[in-house]
Amino acid sequence: MSKEIPIFFSTDDHYIPYLDIAISSLITNASIEYTYRIIVLNTGLNNENIVKIKMNERPGFTIDFIDISERVENIRSHFKNVYHFSTVTYYRLFIASLFPQYDKIVYLDCDLVVLGDISKLYHTPLDDNILAAVPDQYVRNTVEFRRYTEEAIGVDPNGYVNAGVLVINLNAFRKNNIEEKFVQLITQYDFDLLDPDQAYLNFLCHGKIYMLENGWNKVPINSPCEGKKNIVHYALYKKPWQYDDVLDGEFFWHYAQKSPFYNQILQNKSAFGDGEKAKKEAAGKEILEHAKRIIASNHTIVKTLCRS
């Protein structure tokens, strides 16, 4: 068994401060029985930001920045910024072909804090499943999102997973041609989706996803935590670096105080005023209305591809 654990992130310069906190927390709590290669996918970053992130390196932990501009150049025009989803989230769909040396990897979003030992997540037994992930807690608890996943994507809302924390079986990903199928869908159909890459992953990996306890991807809502709270994921629009009342926000600030980006984070929070908050609140309401429009549309994955 390899002692190296590959962990992937993707980012742009905007999210670099939060990537720093995710990486710092991950390293602090990871078992020293393994070595870790942290790979940050990007399409160009400020070198000063790269230098600051690499300050997290220590024995057993390396951080590499891989520019994948050439790989996504021909398809990038199809990537969409939708609500709080940046186009960088699509990069995870290309890991299998870009890194043929790996059979299995962990993928993490930047807007999270790792409180547990990431090696335990990596060693989740996947068998022939393509992914291990946590059912999306917002979807489960929102009528409009439940209807969207079931009627537009064709996936049971109770089994619709959040793609911000993934264990990916790259061998199964390749065997099932997930990347090729994704490229075909996004170029041929370009569906209107609330959560673009997440929707494609749920649709394409349907029936081959191992469900994890939500302690591995606990979102800040008042719902029971299954098992230990290993990862707090500040998904959707309310982030602790913008709002004061985010549940479990104290974990973020614990690591933020140690970050070289701390002053920048404080400045960003101070600049996030009533106008910006009003826009976010409006977007939160609009996404629910958007879900209804997609459900009513004839151009959905379910209606177009006629999944039986």
Side-chain angles (χ1 to χ4, degrees), residues 49-65:
N49 285 334
I50 293 175
V51 170
K52 287 182 178 179
I53 295 292
K54 286 181 73 68
M55 288 168 59
N56 286 292
E57 289 187 321
R58 62 192 68 180
F61 297 87
T62 60
I63 304 173
D64 295 322
F65 287 79

Side-chain angles (χ1 to χ4, degrees), residues 99-119:
F99 297 88
Q101 69 270 40
Y102 292 129
D103 298 330
K104 179 183 185 182
I105 63 99
V106 170
Y107 179 90
L108 300 174
D109 276 353
C110 296
D111 57 345
L112 53 75
V113 176
V114 182
L115 305 176
D117 176 6
I118 202 69
S119 73

Side-chain angles (χ1 to χ4, degrees), residues 1-9 35-41 60-66 92 94-107 122 126 130 167-175 179:
M1 182 184 296
S2 173
K3 297 284 283 188
E4 181 187 76
I5 295 177
I7 301 166
F8 284 76
F9 293 88
T35 60
Y36 303 83
R37 185 187 180 199
I38 297 170
I39 299 167
V40 182
L41 305 178
F61 297 87
T62 60
I63 304 173
D64 295 322
F65 287 79
I66 307 295
R92 75 194 84 187
F94 301 95
I95 294 172
S97 62
L98 287 168
F99 297 88
Q101 69 270 40
Y102 292 129
D103 298 330
K104 179 183 185 182
I105 63 99
V106 170
Y107 179 90
Y122 175 78
L126 293 178
I130 302 171
V167 186
I168 307 179
N169 180 347
L170 296 184
N171 287 332
F173 204 94
R174 299 177 189 112
K175 180 180 178 181
E179 180 180 324

